[in-house]
Amino acid sequence: MTSLPTPRLDDRSFSQLVEQARSRILALCPEWTDLTPHDPGMVLVEVFSHLTETMLYRLNRLPEKAYVEFLRLLGVRLQPPAAASVRLRFSLSRASERPTEIPRNTPVTLSRAGAGVEPVVFHTADAVTIAPGDTQVEVLAYHCDPVDGELVGVGTGLPGLTVQAKRPPIVAPTGDSLDLVVGVEAGPGELDARAPARRHDGRTYRIWREVENFAALDSNEPAYVADRMTGTITFASSVRLANETGALDEPRTLAAVPGV
């Protein structure tokens, strides 16, 4: 598989810059007749052509961050890091008459690591129990820092709200209970029995759905777009569409917007 060549934003050389300057002089300043290298004016042209060539060389060596920002303007986002996973087995030296519970997010690491090396810490994805009479149980674990819950922003009731996670990046979707969950606080009577919700710190939060974009969504759809690499959560903006007469309708949101 071959990669696309890196584009050059400006590939003019020193000689091309000097020649372009000569052409401009002939067109705009016909009384300037001595265009030989000995002319003081041409010396200045060559000096500035040399400086311009140096600047173009640096321009064509844009840092990776600049390419990332250009792609972001086109709607292309960096893929978030994926958490390494492992299947862990917890064992007892002998069976117990009582169940042994292993809580979710239990950290597990090596008994020792090499000199100067930080030990790798995994966290269990689910709570598991070693049943009475058994001696072992298996559970999936991820190499990441779990966040049980954090307040990242306050709703304004206005479209286009963005909030920022405190410890980006957010790992790629894992498809289990350790995955990203975004909830908006719901007041009494705002939730029906089928709406997904979660309790945290004594409050009820409506769980919103992560989507790639806000196209083809209902204006009341509780959805958001997550840039997991930067930890930015974006809620729907509003648009004004033209009607049959060509006039602009009233603004409408592309999906639901968190209230105040």
Side-chain angles (χ1 to χ4, degrees), residues 3-18:
S3 60
L4 294 175
T6 302
R8 295 176 62 85
L9 301 179
D10 195 329
D11 58 358
R12 288 177 295 173
S13 64
F14 169 79
S15 59
Q16 290 174 323
L17 292 169
V18 172

Side-chain angles (χ1 to χ4, degrees), residues 23-45:
S23 300
R24 297 286 291 176
I25 292 171
L26 292 174
L28 301 177
C29 190
E31 60 272 16
W32 187 348
T33 57
D34 187 3
L35 300 181
T36 63
H38 306 289
D39 181 73
M42 291 306 300
V43 172
L44 291 176
V45 168

Side-chain angles (χ1 to χ4, degrees), residues 208 214 217-224 236-237 252-257:
W208 289 42
F214 297 111
L217 293 180
D218 186 83
S219 59
N220 295 320
E221 180 79 19
Y224 65 92
S237 58
R252 70 175 185 87
T253 57
L254 298 174
V257 175

Side-chain angles (χ1 to χ4, degrees), residues 134-214:
D134 291 341
T135 58
Q136 61 184 22
V137 68
E138 291 188 355
V139 64
L140 188 65
Y142 291 97
H143 177 39
C144 61
D145 294 327
V147 177
D148 189 48
E150 66 179 20
L151 178 65
V152 296
V154 178
T156 62
L158 300 176
L161 174 67
T162 61
V163 294
Q164 182 72 39
K166 297 177 181 178
R167 292 193 294 168
I170 304 169
V171 298
T174 58
D176 54 32
S177 59
L178 281 185
D179 203 357
L180 172 65
V181 176
V182 173
V184 176
E185 186 176 356
E190 293 184 10
L191 293 177
D192 57 42
R194 296 176 297 177
R198 180 173 296 187
R199 296 280 295 177
H200 182 73
D201 286 343
R203 298 182 179 183
T204 302
Y205 292 85
R206 167 71 185 268
I207 304 303
W208 289 42
R209 181 168 63 95
E210 182 178 358
V211 295
E212 284 292 325
N213 53 64
F214 297 111

Side-chain angles (χ1 to χ4, degrees), residues 88-94 102 130 134-138:
L88 297 177
R89 177 180 297 168
F90 290 87
S91 301
L92 298 175
S93 57
R94 60 180 180 178
I102 302 168
I130 301 179
D134 291 341
T135 58
Q136 61 184 22
V137 68
E138 291 188 355

